[in-house]
RNA sequence: UGGGGAGUCGUCUAAUGGCAGGACGGCAGACUCUGGAUCUGCUUGUAGGGGUUCGAAUCCUCUCUCCCCAGCCA
């Protein structure tokens, strides 16, 4: 039914394949800068680059764009490698670093100088800005623009040797100060930075800029299609210019729209701020849209990849509904997660006609979506816990769970009837429900009385105390990037994005759950064991709720 | 008011001269020992004006709106 549709990049590639532009090769790369953690927006790019290579029998490299030692750290390199691998992609032996090319890059810069296409400029950063002109006015040429090749060569070599201070000199491409494209107004291609680099140490004190390093790195690696985001569209003439001037193998840059997701932010600057100002517990806080955060939250790589497939690739800016991500997540989790019963907000139920010391083990299906998942035994006894939300003293019409005089089924067990209840006179909170059970109604028996609701429950005597962390969207508005609505995006954070429940009651089969394991808590949602769990206490992260029709009805009738 | 891009259901995305389709969301129903899942149906869209054509989302033209660029960040 679903016809396979190609995105515009695939169309370009298929055309190139047909015309033999790159000899039938397809070679892409994912080029992160190691200055932060990867997020779901990067996942789009990763899936695109690795996905296209796979689809056309090509290759995809992982390359760190580490040309700025002021911002980059080893820690990020480690995290990025882990995340890309976790997503399920393999670059085999093609792990590269732009810093591996520093010597070659330097030689290319020398070559450019020799061709009269680059010069050392003594203007300060401030002066360069002034000389650059504005969006509507052309720039002015630097007084140092026409130095001789020899002088430039000498100066550039001395820059490398560390004879000058930071900011004192830069190497600039000699292009066109009057260009309508500001990137072509003699862009800086080398600057002095006297900071140790995480890989090259103090071997260098001059570093190439992105504009210079990127096309050349792509060229060195034999990349065919260099996919990047829209904001680099203006840089493409520059990308092409370097390669043309240096007469190097010439990949083609193609730009696509970056991902935006509702109710979150996806800029590294903003995510860094959330971490540094402590609005979240770290890069892997389960509320973060980072790969590490989503992994901890309980997302699967399959769900993320499915999402990336479904959002498509185009050139128009857009904001994808958060609901689509959740749909992909539920779709995957539903198939793979064992079901288990956990009561988040317990109220006690006493089955008055059930023997005091009796314990029955009822058989429970682990996953109705997966027959191979088998069954388990769950203890049932006279005292149980059920969810506080599953009882109402005065139920509205559409509420068909437990209420005085009402009958419901306890999943995998018996039908019970609420005969009486107790409430705390101070708080008005229901404390205990007195119910009777129908011994003939056991699950699996022939007696099939119909009741409108089925509840999850846990035997009080056998219950395990667990902690559950309920996460909600990080922001309370669909578009926290909107300056009109959120002058400062921090002010639009959702104050209820995390609720910690410490008095939750879990069925005993969960005893051996290990960090990273995922479950469906029946009727509630999907939960993953957090690494904060200990022998004494399990901690669960709510990955995503189940679709909740009752919640909708409830909000409509109120 | 320089340069570069983009406008298709609420959202994302197909259709490149021939019935505007899919997904998510929403709504309604069926089914259900999860108010889950599943299934069925419905809903809504070519930014605007002119033009070419038997026929235009698609071609031409004018207009409008939105995004990106003035880092020695990427």
């Amino acid at each position: 039914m679903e016809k396979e549709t190609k995105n515009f990049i695939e169309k370009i590639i298929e055309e190139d394949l047909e015309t033999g532009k790159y000899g039938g090769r397809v070679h892409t790369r994912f080029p992160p800068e190691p200055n932060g953690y990867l997020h779901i927006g990067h996942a789009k790019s990763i899936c695109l680059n690795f996905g296209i290579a796979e689809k056309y029998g090509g290759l995809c490299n992982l390359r760190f764009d580490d040309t700025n030692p002021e911002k980059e750290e080893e820690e990020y390199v480690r995290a990025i490698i882990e995340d890309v691998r976790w997503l399920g992609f393999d670059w085999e032996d093609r792990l590269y670093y732009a810093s591996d090319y520093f010597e070659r890059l330097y030689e290319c810069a020398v070559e450019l100088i020799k061709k009269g296409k680059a010069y050392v400029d003594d203007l300060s950063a401030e002066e360069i800005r002034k000389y650059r002109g504005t969006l509507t006015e052309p720039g002015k040429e630097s007084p140092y623009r026409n130095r001789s090749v020899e002088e430039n060569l000498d100066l550039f070599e001395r820059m490398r040797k560390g004879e000058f201070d930071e900011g004192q000199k830069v190497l600039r491409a000699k292009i066109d100060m009057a260009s309508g494209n500001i990137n072509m107004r003699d862009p800086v291609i080398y600057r002095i930075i006297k900071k140790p680099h995480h890989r090259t140490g103090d071997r260098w004190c001059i570093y190439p800029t992105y504009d210079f390093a990127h096309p050349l790195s792509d060229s060195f690696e034999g990349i065919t299609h260099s996919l990047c985001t829209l904001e680099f569209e203006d840089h493409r003439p520059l990308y092409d210019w370097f390669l043309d001037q240096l007469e190097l193998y010439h990949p083609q840059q193609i730009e696509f729209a970056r991902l935006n997701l509702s109710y979150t932010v996806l800029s590294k600057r903003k995510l860094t701020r959330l971490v540094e100002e402590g609005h979240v517990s770290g890069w892997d806080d389960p509320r973060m849209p980072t790969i590490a955060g989503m992994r901890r939250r309980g997302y699967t790589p399959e769900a993320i990849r499915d999402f990336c497939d479904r959002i498509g690739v185009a050139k128009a800016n857009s904001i994808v509904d958060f609901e689509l991500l959740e749909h992909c997540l539920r779709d995957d989790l539903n198939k793979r997660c064992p079901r288990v019963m956990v009561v988040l907000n317990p109220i006690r139920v006493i089955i008055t006609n059930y023997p005091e010391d009796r314990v029955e083990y009822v058989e429970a299906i682990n996953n109705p979506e997966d027959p191979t998942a088998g069954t388990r035994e769950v203890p049932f006894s006279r005292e149980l816990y059920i969810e506080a939300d599953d009882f109402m003293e005065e139920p509205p019409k559409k509420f068909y769970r437990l209420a005085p005089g009402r009958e419901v089924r306890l999943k995998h067990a018996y039908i019970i009837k609420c005969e009486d209840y107790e409430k705390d006179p101070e708080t008005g909170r229901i404390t205990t429900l007195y119910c009777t059970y129908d011994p003939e109604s056991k699950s699996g028996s022939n007696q099939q009385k119909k009741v409108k609701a089925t509840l999850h429950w846990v035997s009080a005597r056998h219950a395990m105390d667990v902690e559950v962390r309920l996460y909600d969207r990080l922001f309370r508005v669909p578009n926290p990037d909107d300056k009109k609505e959120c002058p400062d995006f921090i002010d639009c954070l959702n104050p209820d994005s995390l609720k910690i429940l410490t008095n939750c009651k879990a069925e005993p089969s969960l005893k051996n759950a290990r960090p990273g394991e995922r479950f469906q808590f029946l009727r509630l949602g999907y939960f993953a064991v957090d690494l904060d769990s200990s022998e004494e206490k399990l901690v669960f992260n709510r990955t995503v709720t189940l679709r909740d029709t009752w919640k909708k009805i409830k909000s409509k009738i109120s």
Side-chain angles (χ1 to χ4, degrees), chain A residues 404-528:
Chain A
R406 287 260 196 99
E407 280 189 314
V408 295
R409 172 170 292 282
L410 295 180
K411 180 76 180 175
H412 307 307
Y414 298 96
I415 290 174
I416 59 167
K417 182 176 186 181
C418 178
E419 310 284 0
D420 199 3
Y421 61 99
E422 246 170 37
K423 94 174 145 168
D424 184 328
E426 299 275 301
T427 63
R429 266 190 63 125
I430 306 294
T431 54
T432 309
L433 264 31
Y434 295 94
C435 300
T436 52
Y437 86 116
D438 174 358
E440 303 301 311
S441 66
K442 189 165 180 184
S443 291
S445 70
N446 290 328
Q447 199 257 26
Q448 292 297 328
K449 181 160 41 169
K450 290 276 175 197
V451 287
K452 293 209 73 169
T454 300
L455 270 39
H456 62 280
W457 53 273
V458 172
S459 165
R461 201 194 317 172
H462 305 87
M464 241 196 331
D465 285 331
V466 299
E467 175 175 324
V468 175
R469 298 174 182 173
L470 302 178
Y471 297 103
D472 202 351
R473 34 182 66 137
L474 229 200
F475 290 90
R476 57 183 165 75
V477 298
N479 185 9
D481 288 322
D482 183 355
K483 289 277 183 299
K484 272 164 261 161
E485 193 158 16
C486 307
D488 182 1
F489 75 104
I490 294 294
D491 297 331
C492 286
L493 280 165
N494 174 10
D496 301 318
S497 61
L498 169 60
K499 273 189 199 128
I500 299 177
L501 268 27
T502 52
N503 186 35
C504 308
K505 307 291 184 182
E507 64 167 74
S509 74
L510 241 16
K511 191 149 292 169
N512 298 314
R514 291 287 164 265
E517 273 191 83
R518 306 177 184 92
F519 299 90
Q520 184 196 101
F521 289 2
L522 217 65
R523 303 208 303 136
L524 298 173
Y526 298 95
F527 295 75

Side-chain angles (χ1 to χ4, degrees), chain A residues 296-308:
Chain A
R296 184 164 177 187
R297 171 98 167 232
Y299 277 71
T300 61
E302 289 80 3
I304 293 172
R305 290 170 69 161
D306 182 35
F307 173 73
C308 291

Side-chain angles (χ1 to χ4, degrees), chain A residues 23 85 139 158 185 203 214 225 332 375 403 442 487 502:
Chain A
R85 198 164 271 151
R158 288 165 60 195
R185 319 237 263 230
R203 277 206 293 286
H214 205 87
H225 303 268
D332 186 42
T375 60
K442 189 165 180 184
T502 52

Side-chain angles (χ1 to χ4, degrees), chain A residues 16-288:
Chain A
D16 292 345
L17 249 21
E18 241 167 73
T19 61
K21 186 168 178 185
Y22 296 103
R25 283 188 315 118
V26 174
H27 201 151
T28 56
R29 99 269 92 112
F30 173 63
E33 185 193 11
N35 68 342
Y37 276 56
L38 260 23
H39 55 65
I40 182 76
H42 293 109
K44 174 181 182 180
S45 176
I46 294 166
C47 291
L48 214 212
N49 278 292
F50 281 94
I52 273 182
E54 193 180 359
K55 178 168 182 178
Y56 296 103
L59 300 169
C60 180
N61 299 351
L62 175 60
R63 180 174 73 228
F64 286 97
D65 221 329
D66 55 349
T67 56
N68 185 354
E70 295 193 301
K71 298 183 168 182
E72 297 151 8
E73 291 171 28
E74 185 57 40
E75 144 81 353
Y76 296 126
V77 171
R78 200 215 84 248
I80 288 167
I81 287 175
E82 183 185 358
D83 289 347
V84 180
R85 198 164 271 151
W86 179 77
L87 280 173
F89 297 104
D90 185 10
W91 50 90
E92 298 172 304
D93 58 347
R94 297 179 313 283
L95 171 61
Y96 301 125
Y97 295 82
S99 56
D100 288 342
Y101 308 135
F102 281 172
E103 193 61 49
R104 286 172 86 181
L105 260 7
Y106 178 83
E107 283 160 20
C108 287
V110 168
E111 179 72 16
L112 229 38
I113 293 171
K114 286 182 180 163
K115 289 185 168 179
K117 298 293 182 181
Y119 62 97
V120 172
D121 197 350
D122 295 1
L123 254 28
S124 68
E126 174 73 8
E127 289 167 323
I128 286 179
R129 190 183 323 132
K130 282 188 183 137
Y131 275 69
R132 189 152 33 220
T134 67
L135 293 179
T136 50
E137 299 161 77
K140 269 191 313 195
E141 294 187 353
S142 164
Y144 304 98
R145 195 175 199 260
N146 294 308
R147 293 217 251 229
S148 69
V149 169
E150 292 67 32
E151 190 183 3
N152 281 321
L153 250 17
D154 173 61
L155 257 14
F156 188 49
E157 195 185 333
R158 288 165 60 195
M159 279 170 66
R160 179 182 183 167
K161 283 182 181 159
E163 291 185 21
F164 307 110
D165 290 335
E166 283 189 21
Q168 220 181 324
K169 285 186 168 40
V170 291
L171 185 70
R172 292 230 255 168
K174 193 173 184 176
I175 310 179
D176 177 9
M177 289 307 291
S179 172
N181 181 347
I182 289 174
N183 295 299
M184 301 300 270
R185 319 237 263 230
D186 290 10
V188 170
I189 61 178
Y190 263 92
R191 71 284 214 202
I192 298 167
I193 303 176
K194 297 198 168 171
K195 302 252 164 47
H197 183 277
H198 66 99
R199 296 194 81 242
T200 60
D202 52 12
R203 277 206 293 286
W204 294 88
C205 63
I206 55 170
Y207 293 90
T209 55
Y210 166 88
D211 282 320
F212 187 64
H214 205 87
L216 301 193
S217 301
D218 282 345
S219 180
F220 298 160
E221 293 176 19
I223 299 303
T224 56
H225 303 268
S226 180
L227 314 180
C228 63
T229 44
L230 253 28
E231 67 270 26
F232 293 105
E233 232 158 358
D234 286 348
H235 295 242
R236 185 167 8 107
L238 189 50
Y239 183 103
D240 293 335
W241 187 87
F242 286 123
L243 265 9
D244 289 342
Q245 296 304 319
L246 291 162
E247 299 172 90
L248 291 171
Y249 162 78
H250 200 146
Q252 71 175 307
Q253 174 179 305
I254 303 170
E255 309 84 11
F256 64 93
R258 65 174 343 132
L259 171 69
N260 294 291
L261 239 199
S262 58
Y263 295 100
T264 192
V265 294
L266 291 181
S267 89
K268 244 188 239 177
R269 205 203 101 244
K270 287 178 180 167
L271 295 177
T272 305
R273 200 174 146 204
L274 289 174
V275 173
E276 284 178 353
E277 292 180 6
H279 298 106
V280 295
S281 65
W283 285 100
D284 71 341
D285 185 299
R287 291 166 295 181
M288 289 284 273

